Amino acid sequence: MSKILKEYTYTPAKIDKGYSGKSLYIHVGDLRIEEKEVTEFMKEKFVGGKGFDLWYLWHAVTPETRWDSPENEIVMSAGPLGGITQYSGTGKTLVCAISPLTDIPIDSNVGGYYGPLLKFSGWDALELQGKADKDILIFIDGNKGHIIIEEADDLPEDSHLLAEELTSRYAENEQDKVNVSVVSTGSAAKHVLMGMLNFSFYDPRRKTVRFKQAARGGLGTIFRDKHIKALVVKYKGIKGDTNNPADLATLNRVGIKYHKQMHDLDDKQNAMRKIGTANTIMVMDKYDLLPTRNFQTGGDPDAYKISPQVFINEYLTQGIHDGCWYGCTMSCAKTADHFPLKTGPYAGQCVTVDGPEYECAAGLGANLGIFDPQAVLEQNFYCDTYGIDLISYATTVAFIMECYEREEISQEDMGGLDLRFGNAQASLELMHQMSRGEGFGPLAGLGIKKLKKIFVERFGADENLLDDIGMENKGLEYSEYLHKESLAQQGGFALTNKGPQHDEAWLIFMDMVNNQIPSFEDKAYALYYYPMFRTWFGLCGLCKLPWNDIVPADNYLTDTPAKVPEHVQNYVEIFNAVTGKNIDKEELILQSERVYQFQRIFNIRMGKGLREHDSAPYRSMGPVTREEYLSRQERYDKQLQELQGLDPSTMTLDEKIAKTRAYREKQFELLTDAVYKRRGWTNNGVPTIERLQELGMDLPMLLEIIKPHL
Amino acid sequence: MITVNTKEHPWHKGMTVRTVIQEKGYTFTHLVVRVNGSPLHESLYDSFEIHDGDEVLVLHLMAGG
């Protein structure tokens, strides 16, 4: 029995229209536990979820706070719709902190049961501040109203072992395991800056603990720096009305309509129930969008080896419900069960691999030049259990591999690892080094921004080349889409609050293939509407996928099929049905914009958030190297003629590369001008007082930050 | 000459929506097609004839990330 450090009893608040009205504050250093009121002001201005997280985080930190400062907080919240069971994708938790990779707020949207169970235990949000002096575990019993903080030195480090042990420990029996959720990271999180958090849910069909990840920005690194080994919540008694919605009948009606679409149309559309997000691998390859060998090209002849059909036929269990929260008929959280590991400390064991998601196959596969599904899944497993964000890992290792192949760094610089494209064994060994804190692992785990500087200063690498090919913005690694030919998506990645994650905007087809947003103003509108719309999922505790990974059969008849108007209306109706409010689709966007502008100003407060911080590496815009240009020469030559009136037959290759670069960089600047204007920002990216007034966000604390920049 | 997603594309006799999709190399299957502004159901792709000068939109409803 572990030593109990602190006990706290409370009366669980009854949920009213999606809110408990209380948040929980825990200082893990001095073991202080406090209850806070969730005010009407918070609900009005910030809604919940990521909005609440950012509000609390703002008050916890100062401009001098860094990721490992004791006052940095990990804040998590499910949002008012979190935990409903009538609609798909409603069990999300939003997690925020000051990131070790970016020094600004990061936000991650994660499935699993923790957030909804936390809310039903009486807490709209949880703040974790301070640093413990030894490993601790925090257990919340939501039925009894009991919180225990205890020592956790004796628990395993890696998530798949830790969460299994804790789920068994806190469940009364097999049936009770579904009422327990664990937040943990893994052994690598102590040694890298790209550590992530695993949020568990128990799968009674497979009789195993499953995970979803709050992956981006180093949340797991902060978690371990605070010496938190795990968070555990237990709540028994979830029903269709546990959120105590204002209008259960509407919630049921909208949900049934949606589930029928899923049943009737998913097989004809994206097959999310069969393969999940990995359904897009071959589409990306065919349209030259699958990032290959550090985003050099958009496809590879070997891509078929990691196609969705390979995973479906050979690895992924079919025919089992795979939702990461109750009531999600999209059921896209696939697994490879009884998967035999070949390397590392668990070699020879058969495990359940949660995945692969698209980002996993694209990142750990194509972008590393590894077209071996077994190796993709093994890397997937180890990233998860070690607590490594696989997107940052994949993009960083792709960068390292290119630096090595271009002889900017040597095998000796990497401690003897032969990290060339396609070498899955070397990549797996790097992961194991990250887990052990040995060799090249901790250095690689610093992420691209810091590695660029180290490679230049320590190994004499070419600074300009590394700046061009290092796919990071704001310190966060790009997610796995090749987007050189979509100017709008260049903005969709770089002109973001937290960095280049695709959850703000994904405009590649709308821009590059459909040619629906040809002008700068069109693109700027898209880079206003979609980031605002998608931010809303994070305020409410929702998943993005049910919005447009299935669409109504008559969606093609609408004026704006890309917006999926019927589903937007669904969201309006379920928000009103839960909260009793009366928003419309315009107010939905404004709810998001209030938080979006707040986050932008938060970045400025932390010394970032200006135009210079939105710059993008040239590889995200166009061909850096001769090989890249030559690989798509017909396309680039044609663009020189059509867009710039030049005759490529009279130009050298280097001249063509230079002219292409000058043109594309200028286009990006013009896009930035247009987007800033549309978002109500100055040309330096600062929200204007006028726009804040229009939104009702002209709060003195925000005006104080922006005035020196106006 | 016709336009496909606002860009010029050569027209030929007997051209259908399906022909346009194939000639453009559109392998993604979740499409919304409009000819001269009118939406077209998928069941008509093989038979609906495209005329010289038509404006064809083939919108890929790619959900993406």
Side-chain angles (χ1 to χ4, degrees):
Chain A
M1 193 68 185
S2 301
K3 181 183 175 186
I4 293 176
L5 303 171
K6 174 86 173 185
E7 289 189 81
Y8 183 85
T9 56
Y10 67 97
T11 303
K14 181 172 164 50
I15 309 296
D16 181 33
K17 301 184 183 69
Y19 295 96
S20 72
K22 297 268 190 181
S23 69
L24 177 64
Y25 170 90
I26 300 178
H27 193 290
V28 300
D30 61 23
L31 303 177
R32 195 158 27 98
I33 298 178
E34 296 173 2
E35 301 180 30
K36 295 182 180 178
E37 296 292 325
V38 169
T39 64
E40 287 304 313
F41 171 85
M42 287 172 62
K43 294 183 196 173
E44 183 69 25
K45 302 292 188 189
F46 296 92
V47 182
K50 171 176 152 179
F52 283 5
D53 292 349
L54 290 169
W55 172 252
Y56 283 126
L57 187 61
W58 177 290
H59 291 287
V61 304
T62 73
E64 288 71 42
T65 299
R66 293 295 172 263
W67 72 274
D68 54 353
S69 304
E71 71 270 19
N72 190 18
E73 285 193 346
I74 297 173
V75 199
M76 55 186 74
S77 170
L81 304 192
I84 64 172
T85 58
Q86 288 81 4
Y87 204 81
S88 287
T90 54
K92 293 292 191 148
T93 310
L94 280 297
V95 192
C96 290
I98 301 298
S99 162
L101 292 169
T102 65
D103 293 326
I104 55 177
I106 187 74
D107 57 272
S108 249
N109 179 327
V110 56
Y113 289 4
Y114 192 87
L117 297 187
L118 177 73
K119 183 166 77 172
F120 297 147
S121 296
W123 309 111
D124 282 335
L126 168 64
E127 294 174 85
L128 299 165
Q129 196 175 40
K131 286 190 192 188
D133 56 7
K134 60 183 78 170
D135 284 352
I136 62 165
L137 176 156
I138 302 170
F139 171 59
I140 300 172
D141 186 325
N143 296 105
K144 293 178 180 170
H146 193 205
I147 300 169
I148 299 174
I149 303 176
E150 61 184 48
E151 289 184 354
D153 290 339
D154 56 335
L155 293 170
E157 291 270 356
D158 290 333
S159 273
H160 77 292
L161 300 176
L162 177 58
E164 284 282 359
E165 181 169 333
L166 293 176
T167 301
S168 295
R169 179 192 294 185
Y170 287 102
E172 292 174 7
N173 50 47
E174 178 69 19
Q175 289 70 36
D176 196 33
K177 288 182 178 178
V178 296
N179 302 314
V180 176
S181 179
V182 179
V183 178
S184 62
T185 181
S187 50
K190 284 191 295 194
H191 308 298
V192 301
L193 296 185
M194 53 183 73
M196 60 72 169
L197 292 175
N198 284 303
F199 279 55
S200 83
F201 60 106
Y202 187 73
D203 184 336
R205 298 170 181 87
R206 293 175 173 84
K207 297 193 182 306
T208 190
V209 170
R210 306 269 311 274
F211 296 108
K212 302 301 283 186
Q213 289 77 34
R216 304 307 324 262
L219 291 163
T221 304
I222 305 165
F223 196 76
R224 288 306 283 133
D225 185 62
K226 291 184 177 300
H227 283 279
I228 304 172
K229 199 74 161 283
L231 310 174
V232 185
V233 67
K234 181 178 175 186
Y235 177 83
K236 184 178 181 180
I238 293 168
K239 297 175 184 166
D241 62 354
T242 307
N243 230 353
N244 198 13
D247 178 2
L248 185 61
T250 294
L251 208 50
N252 287 336
R253 175 179 56 77
V254 176
I256 289 169
K257 181 179 67 169
Y258 181 86
H259 296 317
K260 186 170 188 318
Q261 288 174 3
M262 184 62 64
H263 174 270
D264 294 346
L265 302 172
D266 180 53
D267 287 344
K268 300 172 195 167
Q269 295 184 12
N270 292 331
M272 295 295 282
R273 296 176 300 176
K274 284 195 175 77
I275 180 65
T277 58
N279 75 81
T280 59
I281 297 166
M282 293 312 290
V283 179
M284 295 300 162
D285 181 67
K286 296 294 182 201
Y287 284 78
D288 208 25
L289 299 167
L290 185 70
T292 306
R293 296 175 175 81
N294 195 29
F295 299 87
Q296 292 185 74
T297 58
D300 190 278
D302 282 338
Y304 73 93
K305 294 177 181 173
I306 55 169
S307 73
Q309 217 52 48
V310 169
F311 288 110
I312 290 172
N313 292 343
E314 299 180 25
Y315 296 99
L316 300 186
T317 304
Q318 296 292 299
I320 297 183
H321 178 73
D322 280 317
C324 66
W325 178 245
Y326 300 104
C328 184
T329 47
M330 181 159 270
S331 192
C332 69
K334 313 315 294 183
T335 64
D337 294 308
H338 314 295
F339 180 81
L341 297 169
K342 292 181 176 174
T343 72
Y346 309 113
Q349 297 182 19
C350 289
V351 295
T352 291
V353 185
D354 279 280
E357 299 273 1
Y358 164 77
E359 300 286 342
C360 171
L364 299 174
N367 217 7
L368 301 186
I370 296 171
F371 297 96
D372 172 356
Q374 172 87 21
V376 167
L377 285 167
E378 181 137 347
Q379 292 177 94
N380 188 160
F381 172 79
Y382 274 116
C383 271
D384 287 354
T385 200
Y386 286 161
I388 303 168
D389 168 19
L390 67 82
I391 294 177
S392 276
Y393 176 88
T395 300
T396 298
V397 175
F399 165 73
I400 293 168
M401 287 176 164
E402 186 174 357
C403 287
Y404 176 41
E405 294 207 348
R406 293 190 184 282
E407 300 183 345
E408 296 296 323
I409 59 173
S410 68
Q411 190 168 350
E412 187 183 356
D413 296 334
M414 298 185 292
L417 285 180
D418 184 30
L419 276 167
R420 64 183 65 252
F421 289 117
N423 191 343
Q425 293 308 306
S427 174
L428 281 160
E429 177 53 27
L430 181 67
M431 278 183 201
H432 302 320
Q433 289 186 357
M434 287 179 171
S435 163
R436 298 190 302 264
E438 295 174 1
F440 188 55
L443 197 69
L446 295 174
I448 292 173
K449 185 174 182 179
K450 291 181 173 62
L451 282 180
K452 286 191 296 189
K453 193 165 185 288
I454 291 168
F455 287 180
V456 170
E457 293 178 354
R458 199 178 298 178
F459 306 142
D462 179 338
E463 184 174 7
N464 291 332
L465 176 68
L466 267 54
D467 281 341
D468 283 348
I469 68 173
M471 288 293 284
E472 61 87 14
N473 155 281
K474 302 179 179 67
L476 190 70
E477 287 73 24
Y478 276 73
S479 62
E480 310 300 332
Y481 299 93
L482 191 95
H483 54 282
K484 293 174 194 173
E485 300 310 310
S486 170
L487 177 60
Q489 189 57 32
Q490 292 168 29
F493 276 129
L495 308 180
T496 47
N497 272 332
K498 70 180 168 201
Q501 169 72 353
H502 51 274
D503 62 351
E504 272 204 17
W506 200 91
L507 305 171
I508 298 177
F509 272 75
M510 182 186 283
D511 185 33
M512 185 183 97
V513 182
N514 300 344
N515 202 23
Q516 287 174 279
I517 45 176
S519 71
F520 287 111
E521 287 70 25
D522 295 333
K523 294 183 204 310
Y525 171 76
L527 285 168
Y528 170 79
Y529 177 82
Y530 289 100
M532 300 312 155
F533 178 68
R534 294 171 68 137
T535 291
W536 193 79
F537 295 126
L539 306 185
C540 293
L542 300 177
C543 173
K544 165 266 169 190
L545 300 176
W547 160 51
N548 68 348
D549 275 87
I550 183 86
V551 301
D554 60 357
N555 188 55
Y556 74 105
L557 295 171
T558 65
D559 290 338
T560 53
K563 288 184 176 176
V564 198
E566 181 180 312
H567 288 182
V568 174
Q569 186 57 30
N570 285 354
Y571 288 119
V572 168
E573 291 186 30
I574 65 172
F575 182 85
N576 290 337
V578 171
T579 63
K581 295 182 186 295
N582 186 28
I583 68 163
D584 56 20
K585 63 182 181 181
E586 285 79 23
E587 174 59 19
L588 180 157
I589 296 297
L590 294 178
Q591 285 183 322
S592 282
E593 189 180 347
R594 292 183 190 106
V595 176
Y596 196 90
Q597 303 281 12
F598 181 85
Q599 190 169 358
R600 181 74 177 185
I601 297 170
F602 201 156
N603 287 351
I604 296 170
R605 181 181 180 227
M606 300 306 290
K608 308 285 174 66
L610 303 175
R611 187 172 185 131
E612 63 181 295
H613 307 107
D614 286 341
S615 64
Y618 183 61
R619 172 140 305 154
S620 78
M621 299 180 205
V624 173
T625 65
R626 293 177 173 184
E627 308 91 87
E628 270 175 276
Y629 191 99
L630 291 172
S631 74
R632 304 291 185 271
Q633 181 166 229
E634 185 181 352
R635 173 193 300 161
Y636 295 135
D637 280 358
K638 189 177 175 189
Q639 290 178 1
L640 284 171
Q641 285 180 308
E642 293 182 352
L643 300 176
Q644 299 194 65
L646 299 171
D647 179 1
S649 67
T650 65
M651 301 166 71
T652 67
L653 178 56
D654 287 344
E655 286 171 341
K656 290 195 283 189
I657 292 171
K659 286 291 185 186
T660 298
R661 179 172 189 146
Y663 178 82
R664 289 186 175 217
E665 288 183 333
K666 177 69 174 173
Q667 294 289 299
F668 182 79
E669 293 305 319
L670 292 171
L671 175 75
T672 303
D673 290 343
V675 171
Y676 283 5
K677 184 179 176 185
R678 185 64 186 79
R679 290 179 181 174
W681 297 352
T682 70
N683 211 36
N684 195 25
V686 180
T688 61
I689 294 173
E690 293 74 21
R691 186 62 191 149
L692 295 178
Q693 287 172 334
E694 288 166 2
L695 293 166
M697 287 298 281
D698 50 333
L699 311 175
M701 56 191 270
L702 302 184
L703 300 183
E704 180 188 336
I705 301 298
I706 62 171
K707 277 181 178 172
H709 298 279
L710 297 174
Chain B
M1 193 69 72
I2 62 172
T3 61
V4 180
N5 293 348
T6 75
K7 293 182 178 172
E8 290 192 337
H9 183 83
W11 174 83
H12 57 80
K13 196 172 179 188
M15 187 178 241
T16 64
V17 169
R18 183 72 65 196
T19 318
V20 171
I21 291 170
Q22 288 169 347
E23 289 179 5
K24 291 294 290 182
Y26 293 152
T27 54
F28 184 61
T29 56
H30 192 192
L31 303 171
V32 169
V33 173
R34 291 183 179 166
V35 180
N36 301 322
S38 298
L40 202 68
H41 193 272
E42 187 179 357
S43 61
L44 299 173
Y45 289 178
D46 288 320
S47 59
F48 194 92
E49 197 168 332
I50 300 297
H51 299 102
D52 195 11
D54 279 352
E55 295 177 1
V56 183
L57 290 180
V58 185
L59 306 181
H60 293 57
L61 284 199
M62 183 71 202

